[in-house]
Amino acid sequence: MDILSIQILLQATLRMATPLIYAGIGETFSEKAGIINIGLEGYMLIGAFTAYATVYYTNNLLLAVVYAILVTALFGVIFAYLTITIKANQVIIGTALNLVGVGISGYLFRILFAQTRKAQPVRTFQQLPIPALKDIPLLGPSLFDQNILVYGTYLLVPLAAIILYKTSLGLVLRGTGEHPHAVESLGIRVVHIRYGAVIFASILAGIGGAYLPIAHANQFVENMTAGRGFIALAMVAFGRWNPVYVWLAGLLFGSTFALQLRLQAAQTIIPYQFLQILPYVVTFIALIISHGRSLQPRALGIPFEKEGN
Amino acid sequence: MEASTRLQLIGISKTFPGGVQANKDISLTVKRGEIHCLLGENGAGKSTLMSILYGEYHADSGEIWLDGQKATINTPKGAISHGIGMVHQHFMLVPTLSVAENIIMGMRPLASFLWYMKDIEKDIAEFAAKRGMKINPSALVSTLSVGEQQRVEIIKALYRGVDLLILDEPTAVLTPQETRDLFETLRNLAKQGFSIILITHKMNEVMEVADRVSVLRDGRMIDTLPISEVTPSSLARMMVGREVSFNQEKNDTPCGEPILKVEDLTLIGEKGRPLLKNISLKVCSGEIVGVAGVDGNGQSQLAFCVTGLMKPTSGRIWIEKNDLTGKSPLEFLKAGVGHIPEDRHAMGLVLEDPVAYNFLLQRYRDNYFKWFGFLNIKTIFEHARRLVKVFDVRTSSVKTPAANLSGGNQQKIIVGREIDRNPRLLVAVQPTRGLDIGATEYIHKQLIQQRERGAAILLISTELEEIMALSDRILVMFEGRIIGETDSDRANIDKIGLWMAGMQPEEAKQT
């Protein structure tokens, strides 16, 4: 492979990794607080559709992201209410949310746009090269000739790590997923922390979903997330609930998407269906490698029952 | 100089939604710089009272006065801001975080940065040292011993500026050495002007550490007295509401046929470590044989072997005429072996199951409980209601999960279940661990009744007093061997003590 194709591969890796990173970082916060939010795929689809529809009607990309955030946040509130307040099983509610995400986005899409089931293309976030930095050999064009949502992850990941490991809030979050009663006994409301974490996770998944139709492609396709929400879920375990490792895991999975596309384009003799499997096979292998549960927050998935009530 | 009053509770009452009145018109005064013990049996209302003070529960009526000012405490946060801290029985520490992180958690606004952990750690170490406690603030809590974790809990409370510290049954999880250290720390703190409320049901602790003691019974305050005016037996009387006999009466029952016979039992554990070495013993009908020893000298394994839960590497086990060596636990059950296991939560009960099902555990095969191959709920519940009555298990219903009962009542379920089967051999391991006086006395009576009925009883306990009070013969285990044997009439605590430490007293050699 020559320099140029490595550069293109890197660029594609970052682009493919971006939606995964948004969703994965959000999920990290949710799981650190003890809520396993397996509805990521659903949030992403809802975010994707909202963003597409907004751009279609208003031609305003920023507004699309804002609406995607608001709508997925609303679903986040619903999930939080059911799992935290009502204490329903998180896995079941999350699964339901995934189904709702597929159903509602597909339904509205068909009603509003696609008698032909093929959507009109919309405006997308354009590449925004950063002067000087983009001229660094090899990495420059890969890292610094991207759209604004990709740049967002450059801020998001360090910020997430700082919040989690260097602030009082992060300390409380980490405690909430491990031993919520300890946190509550110090006068902090576990329920509030968990609501916050879940809503945060849904918002980031929404942004990750929005990225797909308005930054990656230029249209909405039914079920266009194609399992990315589940891959993000796997990234969190593979990345040991640490934002930096989750980010690296995101890059790894992103690279498999990129590689797969690249191999398809290179017209190898392998049928393209097999190449498309690649990201999911890697997910599988990653989960086998990281199967140890010792690092998982101890109270993950367990509803918080206040003692004596 | 009369110490000033730090805390005054006036007329506190609390009734739980289920109708249980946990606190009835309780008043309590705690002075500055005193260690005040709150003594009472399980369920007497000690923890409820302290939870009200700490803002975890709300009193139905009554007042809290702090330093002569009336106060309202609605949350733990409110309690802390009033200078009240609590060390819970189950530690409220996050094991994956460091000591310092646990201590400062939630002390600063959530949006504040924690850049300089090293400075925070240094400050915590100095703070602790000033109050006579040593701790490594950068250590992960999961790497600390139980005693050290408790120290972290105390520092965590004090670091928040607390000067009235409540400790809920702090010694339940500690070794004797750790208990001594804790009491030393508490005395130190009291000297520095901290007020300490210690919840306990152990009278020897009260006698050792308290300045004053308040006794609760059935949710009422019985009395508050300076320690100089009480004795262990007067405390016991106040706690239980009647005379308590520390020595159980028992009739001379002639020893009958041998029920349990163990010959040359050896058990090799993982890595080839011998856990039991050439153990031979006999327990006869109408006899209680006590096995004493420091925890971890093979007692648990012996119990597992004679109940069929572990297969010995070599040696034989007979129950009456049957050679049961290598047989399954079910065969042991059928041969008439009852087992009161060491860990009632892990082995004795299915905690989340209702009381009724826990009474059924070894008997679900009985046709009596079956209806065309299905469980017959009606007879199961009838059976449970009868046993609840006979064995005085305090529960709101036989449908209540066993987890909701107090330790004493949980143990009564197990004892009742085993005794109701009229076992030939009853293996009782630590039957009164963690129980209050009332429940302990009750279980001892039951064991003696079984002896008089003609059962053989193998009593394994690390409580020497229990062994001495109940046994006809005493065996002492040390490193998997039986190091000494004596009749209980000739038992002498010094001799047994030497055996427990692995030494061979001169005059004991002939036995």
Side-chain angles (χ1 to χ4, degrees), chain A:
Chain A
M1 243 196 273
D2 55 286
I3 284 263
L4 190 65
S5 45
I6 293 178
Q7 187 181 304
I8 291 170
L9 192 66
L10 266 174
Q11 203 167 14
T13 293
L14 277 164
R15 275 208 306 272
M16 299 307 287
T18 296
L20 299 176
I21 291 169
Y22 277 107
I25 295 290
E27 179 70 12
T28 304
F29 274 68
S30 174
E31 293 196 14
K32 274 286 178 195
I35 304 282
I36 183 154
N37 200 343
I38 72 163
L40 287 183
E41 181 85 359
Y43 294 125
M44 288 180 86
L45 272 173
I46 291 164
F49 177 78
T50 309
Y52 173 76
T54 311
V55 179
Y56 183 87
Y57 288 120
T58 68
N59 212 22
N60 186 335
L61 289 165
L62 189 67
L63 195 67
V65 175
V66 171
Y67 278 4
I69 287 175
L70 289 177
V71 174
T72 45
L74 177 70
F75 280 89
V77 172
I78 294 169
F79 179 83
Y81 177 75
L82 292 171
T83 56
I84 301 169
T85 307
I86 309 268
K87 302 186 180 95
N89 184 304
Q90 295 167 18
V91 173
I92 293 173
I93 301 296
T95 306
L97 229 144
N98 282 327
L99 296 175
V100 166
V102 174
I104 215 170
S105 61
Y107 172 72
L108 290 175
F109 175 65
R110 285 190 204 181
I111 285 195
L112 293 176
F113 301 105
Q115 278 74 25
T116 60
R117 301 188 66 185
K118 181 127 180 60
Q120 298 293 317
V122 293
R123 242 185 92 198
T124 60
F125 281 112
Q126 295 304 305
Q127 255 144 288
L128 204 74
I130 299 178
L133 288 175
K134 78 163 174 28
D135 297 327
I136 302 168
L138 188 62
L139 287 181
S142 313
L143 291 173
F144 301 111
D145 188 5
Q146 300 276 15
N147 66 58
I148 190 149
L149 288 179
V150 178
Y151 295 145
T153 62
Y154 302 173
L155 282 179
L156 177 68
V157 175
L159 208 65
I162 289 170
I163 289 173
L164 211 46
Y165 295 107
K166 287 289 170 200
T167 67
S168 190
L169 172 66
L171 189 56
V172 168
L173 261 170
R174 286 182 287 150
T176 304
E178 288 288 339
H179 193 342
H181 291 287
V183 171
E184 187 84 12
S185 78
L186 297 172
I188 303 156
R189 298 295 309 276
V190 166
V191 166
H192 295 175
I193 299 289
R194 288 191 163 175
Y195 260 87
V198 164
I199 292 166
F200 180 68
S202 62
I203 286 173
L204 286 193
I207 298 174
Y211 174 89
L212 293 171
I214 62 168
H216 181 63
N218 59 357
Q219 56 181 16
F220 182 84
V221 180
E222 276 182 48
N223 210 3
M224 79 182 302
T225 48
R228 284 182 175 81
F230 294 104
I231 291 178
L233 212 53
M235 276 160 50
V236 177
F238 190 49
R240 299 166 166 223
W241 292 269
N242 177 322
V244 176
Y245 295 152
V246 170
W247 172 66
L248 290 173
L251 292 179
L252 171 71
F253 289 119
S255 74
T256 64
F257 276 102
L259 193 65
Q260 174 264 119
L261 288 173
R262 187 95 194 118
L263 288 175
Q264 273 190 56
Q267 302 204 330
T268 51
I269 47 163
I270 311 167
Y272 76 96
Q273 288 92 342
F274 280 94
L275 294 172
Q276 282 182 334
I277 297 173
L278 192 63
Y280 310 101
V281 172
V282 172
T283 308
F284 215 60
I285 294 167
L287 282 181
I288 292 169
I289 295 170
S290 64
H291 75 282
R293 296 168 61 92
S294 56
L295 291 158
Q296 175 176 316
R298 212 159 304 184
L300 186 61
I302 305 168
F304 176 68
E305 301 273 0
K306 222 168 153 179
E307 262 159 37
N309 279 357

Side-chain angles (χ1 to χ4, degrees), chain B residues 28-66:
Chain B
L28 174 72
T29 306
V30 177
K31 293 180 204 160
R32 205 169 269 290
E34 78 166 338
I35 301 181
H36 195 115
C37 276
L38 206 53
L39 181 71
E41 296 205 271
N42 294 329
K46 309 172 296 240
S47 294
T48 306
L49 184 67
M50 289 300 110
S51 295
I52 289 170
L53 178 56
Y54 192 56
E56 291 172 322
Y57 294 145
H58 301 268
D60 300 333
S61 60
E63 291 173 3
I64 300 173
W65 290 67
L66 294 165

